[in-house]
Amino acid sequence: MSYDEFEFETRAVRAGQTRTAEGEHAEAIFPTSSYVFGSAAEAAARFAGDSPGNIYSRFTNPTVRTFEERLATLEGGERCVATSSGMAAILATCAGLLKAGDHIVASRSIFGTTTVLFSTYLARFGIETSFVPLPDIQAWEAAIRPETRLLFLETPSNPLTELADIRALSELAGSRGCLLAVDNCFCTPALQQPLALGADIVIHSATKFLDGQGRCVGGAVVGNEELVGKDVYGFLRTAGPCMSPFNAWVFLKGLETLSLRMRVHCDNAQQLAEWLEQQPAVAHVYHPGLESHPQHELASRQQQGFGGVLSFELKGGKDDAWRFIDATRLFSITANLGDTKSTVTHPATTTHGRLTPEQREEAGISDGLIRLAVGLESVNDLRMDLERGFAALAN
Ligand SMILES: *Cc1c(COP(=O)(O)O)cnc(C)c1O
């Protein structure tokens, strides 16, 4: 059954499900590695690709397919393939679409492990990457070479919440014969649909907001039949980083509450960002929902909500940031995000700790910077927890 005529929230709850003869209401989990055929001739036809159907769970699995179909419709893509992790989704995209001699232009503000994948591992196979400042369209244009095949970004960026104009970059990519891939982990399709803005590929770490409760590691790639259904899937079924049926089921349940959760993540983050801006110990707050954000207007146009992640800079340096973090009781000290539980991170000594001080300064990661991934607790309790942090500075 097609769910195209229904709105986002309805598709998030219902799309992709096919009931078995048992008539189960919730989606079934199919923990099976292989599938049986009715006859030798049927087995041969399946293997030859002449008859559709399951062969082996590295290729297809009914629970995984339900997740893929549901996420595909939420992102507005023809096809989705699920992967064992977000990194596997990025690897499968690059391995499926690129070859030695190709060139990538990537935002310099992407997930740290993605930077390592590009600059260390893909480089070994003859794929070079240039890194550019995310919001600077001239820099993207200048970095494109004849052999550039892929533009890659996340928006908003982590932890400083800078934005890229996806529409403008998709036009640039199209005019120069490149593909545009957007890692949509921070917004999810509930807040931003890059394919509708002209992107070719959407990538997810399902580990974050799609799960939403910090349980499973997984990922996904969404796009058209040719790029994702043929090229990315072809690599995936051969190389093997597929999603397990149990994880697919957990992510399906996550999608059912995605809109509701994102709304509260956004509301809580907005309230805390506005409150933090009033605090005398704070030098600056980074959140696209603030009027003071230099790309607030773009965020209002491009996103249907401003997101659950924010950062702020204490006037004091590292010692104050650590004192602040250690004084909180509710916020979990962890680098993860997209969980019901709020988390607090000191980027300079964790996620960005391997950069040199000069690289950190260039990236805008000061010693006093603190990142919050705002969860679904009471926003009053979260504010009181941050007050404990400020109280620890007052000496
Ligand atoms: C976490 C994350 C990834 C990697 O995902 P895993 O599921 O941990 O492999 C990629 N991109 C972004 C933006 C992330 O936050």
Side-chain angles (χ1 to χ4, degrees):
M1 158 164 184
S2 164
Y3 285 88
D4 292 350
E5 68 188 276
F6 296 106
E7 294 196 25
F8 186 93
E9 289 78 1
T10 308
R11 285 180 275 135
V13 171
R14 294 196 170 260
Q17 184 178 12
T18 42
R19 294 209 165 85
T20 74
E22 300 292 347
E24 70 284 353
H25 191 203
E27 294 75 2
I29 309 180
F30 288 86
T32 181
S33 48
S34 72
Y35 304 83
V36 293
F37 311 110
S39 66
E42 191 188 333
R46 277 252 185 115
F47 272 82
D50 296 337
S51 110
N54 300 308
I55 298 174
Y56 188 57
S57 277
R58 172 154 39 79
F59 308 159
T60 57
N61 174 280
T63 316
V64 175
R65 186 177 342 107
T66 303
F67 168 73
E68 291 172 336
E69 288 182 8
R70 194 170 291 180
L71 184 58
T73 160
L74 297 182
E75 286 289 3
E78 290 172 9
R79 265 302 288 276
C80 168
V81 293
T83 57
S84 56
S85 68
M87 290 317 302
I90 298 170
L91 174 64
T93 299
C94 294
L97 299 175
L98 306 178
K99 61 180 188 318
D102 285 348
H103 174 246
I104 302 173
V105 181
S107 159
R108 71 175 183 201
S109 315
I110 51 176
F111 188 61
T113 313
T114 311
T115 306
V116 177
L117 176 70
F118 288 176
S119 50
T120 303
Y121 293 99
L122 294 187
R124 270 193 208 163
F125 295 92
I127 297 167
E128 211 186 310
T129 304
S130 306
F131 294 94
V132 296
L134 176 72
D136 184 352
I137 185 112
Q138 273 97 26
W140 285 89
E141 187 158 14
I144 294 176
R145 306 175 188 165
E147 64 274 24
T148 305
R149 172 89 172 119
L150 183 70
L151 310 186
F152 185 98
L153 61 90
E154 290 162 23
T155 177
S157 70
N158 177 26
L160 296 179
T161 71
E162 287 181 326
L163 271 70
D165 185 332
I166 297 175
R167 170 81 64 197
L169 279 170
S170 74
E171 282 164 12
L172 174 64
S175 73
R176 303 292 291 271
C178 326
L179 300 170
L180 175 64
V182 176
D183 180 335
N184 203 24
C185 169
F186 275 71
C187 278
T188 82
L191 304 184
Q192 171 171 280
Q193 296 98 35
L195 299 176
L197 298 167
D200 301 286
I201 301 274
V202 166
I203 288 169
H204 275 286
S205 167
T207 317
K208 313 294 167 52
F209 289 104
L210 299 191
D211 175 336
Q213 298 177 57
R215 297 163 295 192
C216 291
V217 174
V221 186
V222 192
N224 68 25
E225 197 56 56
E226 176 73 15
L227 296 173
V228 174
K230 191 168 141 278
D231 297 339
V232 177
Y233 173 64
F235 173 79
L236 196 69
R237 60 171 270 160
T238 307
C242 51
M243 179 179 282
S244 84
F246 177 76
N247 286 8
W249 183 84
V250 170
F251 295 134
L252 272 171
K253 293 292 135 191
L255 290 180
E256 292 181 8
T257 57
L258 181 66
S259 288
L260 279 175
R261 286 187 289 108
M262 292 312 288
R263 227 172 286 154
V264 181
H265 282 296
C266 289
D267 283 351
N268 285 356
Q270 182 77 27
Q271 288 188 52
L272 292 183
E274 288 172 10
W275 178 78
L276 283 165
E277 251 186 348
Q278 311 298 318
Q279 304 308 308
V282 172
H284 195 80
V285 183
Y286 301 87
H287 187 258
L290 295 172
E291 303 268 347
S292 61
H293 192 287
Q295 296 168 296
H296 177 64
E297 191 272 327
L298 172 62
S300 312
R301 214 166 2 105
Q302 178 164 280
Q303 301 176 202
Q304 289 96 59
F306 297 111
V309 179
L310 67 92
S311 294
F312 63 99
E313 217 157 64
L314 291 174
K315 288 175 181 162
K318 186 198 122 187
D319 290 349
D320 259 2
W322 279 23
R323 242 179 252 134
F324 186 102
I325 290 170
D326 288 341
T328 61
R329 279 175 26 208
L330 277 179
F331 279 86
S332 313
I333 306 175
T334 167
N336 197 30
L337 60 96
D339 199 304
T340 52
K341 299 182 175 73
S342 296
T343 69
V344 60
T345 313
H346 184 238
T349 51
T350 59
T351 52
H352 294 69
R354 277 179 300 176
L355 302 184
T356 65
E358 295 72 40
Q359 286 171 325
R360 266 202 299 279
E361 190 175 319
E362 196 188 296
I365 311 293
S366 71
D367 287 347
L369 190 75
I370 293 176
R371 189 199 73 185
L372 305 180
V374 182
L376 306 185
E377 302 95 333
S378 148
V379 71
N380 295 327
D381 289 334
L382 293 176
R383 196 186 305 108
M384 269 159 53
D385 207 36
L386 297 177
E387 273 171 4
R388 287 184 193 104
F390 286 118
L393 308 181
N395 52 32

